[in-house]
Amino acid sequence: MSSDSLGTFIHRLSGVYRDPQRVLRDAESLLSSPLGSHLRPTTEPLTLNDGSSSPPVLLLRGTLPMTYRAVTYNLPIDCYLPPPYPLRPPTVFIRPVANMAIKENHRHVGLDGRVYLPYLHDWRPGTHDLRELAVWMSSLFGAEPPCYARPANANGSATSNGSHNNPPPYSQATVASSSHTSSHASSAYSSISTAASTSTHATNNTNNAQEEMRKALEREISEANMVAETARRAAAEEDRMEAAHKRMQREHEQELSSMRAHATSKVQFEIHALFMGVKEELRLELKNQKQLEFGKDRIEKLLNEGGERKGQLEEGNKEMDEAIGGLETWLVAVKEQKSTAADNGGKEERGQTKADLMALPVDTHSAQMLALSAENAAIDDCIYFLDRALVQGSISVEVFLKEVRKLSKRQFMAKGHLIKIAQTRAAEYR
């Protein structure tokens, strides 16, 4: 059908939909697709099971192709677009013809023919549309057909009592192949109805040829039911195996998780023990290193002190050698003086020693100290005798003071020189 005709229906339904452009766009997309080529738009009120109904809404009525065991069948459906569309999903019904019945306990289709799909349950206006819905229905119904073909002599009570559990979706005489069009499907449905009526009349007239045809048809339906039952059992077995596989996979994952946790705990324990051992070794190594550094510092300090002590001993040894040399020089001088005095006959009495030989200096400082001490003692004697002369009246007071001043200056200089020499010698012997 052209977009103008669909637009005419949408125009008639003005005020019913909040977004008529979205309704028009989704319907055109479905009708222009291979899955919706056999659908035709119309308008009809939507009546629900509770008796409530809506104003006339857009209805897409026709057949939806599905592939079951490599054969394409046309499934009659009604697709209603409710007024809140696209905020609410479309309402879809399976409309079986006279020789078809809806399979009981189907996962996605109720006994009233209403379709329940996860795609409809999770409907989102921004991501879901009618074209994807048709793909879902064709795929799911091809894997698990919602309808089956009833035998020509079956009545409603036999079907409701479950005399045909899980029959095939259609018989070869009641469905179209993938090459048939919608017109072929309609003629097939008409021929089935005619065949069923002819079979009924033939049964009433006890025609042998028609009886054989009915029996052949029953055998074909029975074989189809057996195939459907085998497929159902295979699907159940596949579900059971899949559940067992998932259970084994969960157990395997739990075992792996337990082994992983155990291995992690063991590795952490080993790492902790190794860390503590390395930490203790590092502590001992640091302690030994500190002791070695302390011993190294102490040894270096002792070596420095030993070097300084060695230098002091060498200097003391050198001074001692110099003193010994001076003493030897003094002894030589004394011997020479004694020899000279003996040669000259000496004027002094035997056993009397000259005052100059009683103290002989061994170095320059000693000679200076000896001379300064003698000068200090001489000045003391001079002052004493000046004092005696003043008392006796031999000199005047002016002369006494003048001479004492001169002598005092010389004595002060001599004593200061003596103190300076003593300090120098004390510093040398430290």
Side-chain angles (χ1 to χ4, degrees):
M1 177 171 288
S2 64
S3 59
D4 294 338
S5 300
L6 184 60
T8 302
F9 284 110
I10 298 297
H11 181 70
R12 292 177 185 176
L13 299 174
S14 60
V16 176
Y17 296 106
R18 297 182 180 181
D19 189 358
Q21 294 299 324
R22 170 66 184 274
V23 176
L24 177 62
R25 185 170 62 252
D26 288 358
E28 286 181 346
S29 176
L30 175 60
L31 295 178
S32 61
S33 66
L35 295 178
S37 60
H38 297 163
L39 295 175
R40 297 293 179 267
T42 184
T43 58
E44 185 177 303
L46 173 60
T47 303
L48 301 177
N49 293 334
D50 57 1
S52 61
S53 61
S54 67
V57 295
L58 182 63
L59 168 63
L60 302 178
R61 174 174 290 168
T63 59
L64 177 71
M66 69 175 192
T67 302
Y68 179 71
R69 295 183 181 178
V71 179
T72 301
Y73 302 94
N74 291 316
L75 183 67
I77 65 169
D78 285 348
C79 181
Y80 293 88
L81 301 186
Y85 184 87
L87 298 179
R88 285 181 54 192
T91 303
V92 183
F93 289 92
I94 303 297
R95 300 301 190 188
V97 294
N99 63 330
M100 298 170 58
I102 297 176
K103 186 186 297 184
E104 294 183 1
N105 299 324
H106 195 276
R107 289 190 297 177
H108 304 300
V109 180
L111 291 177
D112 58 348
R114 185 168 181 177
V115 176
Y116 301 92
L117 291 177
Y119 190 85
L120 295 173
H121 182 268
D122 300 331
W123 181 270
R124 296 291 183 273
T127 58
H128 292 57
D129 56 29
L130 298 178
R131 191 167 184 172
E132 287 189 2
L133 174 61
V135 173
W136 268 74
M137 289 192 297
S138 178
S139 176
L140 291 178
F141 293 158
E144 187 177 357
C147 297
Y148 65 94
R150 293 185 294 186
N153 61 344
N155 53 23
S157 60
T159 303
S160 61
N161 292 334
S163 59
H164 297 286
N165 292 328
N166 299 316
Y170 305 92
S171 68
Q172 295 294 332
T174 60
V175 296
S177 65
S178 59
S179 61
H180 290 177
T181 61
S182 60
S183 61
H184 292 110
S186 300
S187 63
Y189 298 146
S190 306
S191 63
I192 292 169
S193 301
T194 304
S197 176
T198 302
S199 178
T200 304
H201 289 297
T203 303
N204 295 331
N205 296 330
T206 64
N207 189 300
N208 293 332
Q210 296 295 332
E211 183 69 19
E212 291 179 359
M213 291 178 63
R214 184 181 65 80
K215 291 181 179 180
L217 181 61
E218 289 179 355
R219 285 195 301 269
E220 184 179 352
I221 293 174
S222 177
E223 291 176 358
N225 290 337
M226 291 176 64
V227 172
E229 179 66 18
T230 303
R232 186 189 64 80
R233 291 180 180 178
E237 182 66 17
E238 183 178 357
D239 293 339
R240 187 187 64 79
M241 292 180 65
E242 183 178 359
H245 176 69
K246 291 182 178 179
R247 184 176 67 257
M248 292 178 63
Q249 187 176 4
R250 286 195 301 270
E251 293 176 355
H252 180 65
E253 290 178 355
Q254 292 177 357
E255 185 178 358
L256 285 179
S257 177
S258 177
M259 293 175 64
R260 191 181 296 112
H262 179 70
T264 302
S265 177
K266 188 173 181 179
V267 170
Q268 289 178 351
F269 176 77
E270 294 294 336
I271 291 176
H272 179 71
L274 180 61
F275 171 75
M276 296 303 295
V278 173
K279 183 178 179 181
E280 182 65 19
E281 291 180 0
L282 289 176
R283 188 185 66 81
L284 293 177
E285 293 293 336
L286 290 175
K287 182 178 179 181
N288 294 334
Q289 183 178 0
K290 289 182 179 179
Q291 292 179 353
L292 291 174
E293 291 177 353
F294 177 76
K296 179 182 178 181
D297 295 339
R298 186 174 180 182
I299 290 173
E300 290 179 353
K301 184 177 180 181
L302 292 175
L303 289 175
N304 293 332
E305 292 178 354
E308 294 177 357
R309 185 62 178 170
K310 179 181 178 181
Q312 293 177 0
L313 291 176
E314 289 178 352
E315 291 179 359
N317 190 16
K318 184 177 180 181
E319 292 177 356
M320 187 176 292
D321 292 340
E322 292 178 355
I324 292 174
L327 183 58
E328 290 178 350
T329 303
W330 177 76
L331 290 175
V332 171
V334 170
K335 288 180 180 180
E336 290 178 352
Q337 289 179 0
K338 286 183 178 181
S339 176
T340 303
D343 293 340
N344 295 329
K347 297 181 179 180
E348 297 180 358
E349 298 179 355
R350 186 179 299 273
Q352 186 177 0
T353 305
K354 296 176 62 175
D356 293 337
L357 299 176
M358 295 179 64
L360 295 177
V362 295
D363 54 14
T364 303
H365 288 165
S366 298
Q368 290 177 352
M369 292 181 69
L370 182 60
L372 291 172
S373 298
E375 182 180 2
N376 184 36
I379 291 173
D380 287 339
D381 292 342
C382 185
I383 292 174
Y384 173 73
F385 285 109
L386 284 174
D387 184 64
R388 292 290 301 274
L390 178 62
V391 172
Q392 294 176 1
S394 300
I395 58 175
S396 62
V397 176
E398 290 78 2
V399 175
F400 175 79
L401 293 175
K402 184 177 179 181
E403 295 298 331
V404 168
R405 188 179 297 110
K406 292 180 180 179
L407 294 172
S408 297
K409 288 182 179 180
R410 290 186 64 182
Q411 188 178 30
F412 176 76
M413 293 299 294
K415 287 183 178 181
H417 200 178
L418 282 171
I419 293 173
K420 185 66 175 177
I421 293 172
Q423 291 176 353
T424 301
R425 290 181 66 86
E428 291 178 354
Y429 286 106
R430 287 180 182 175

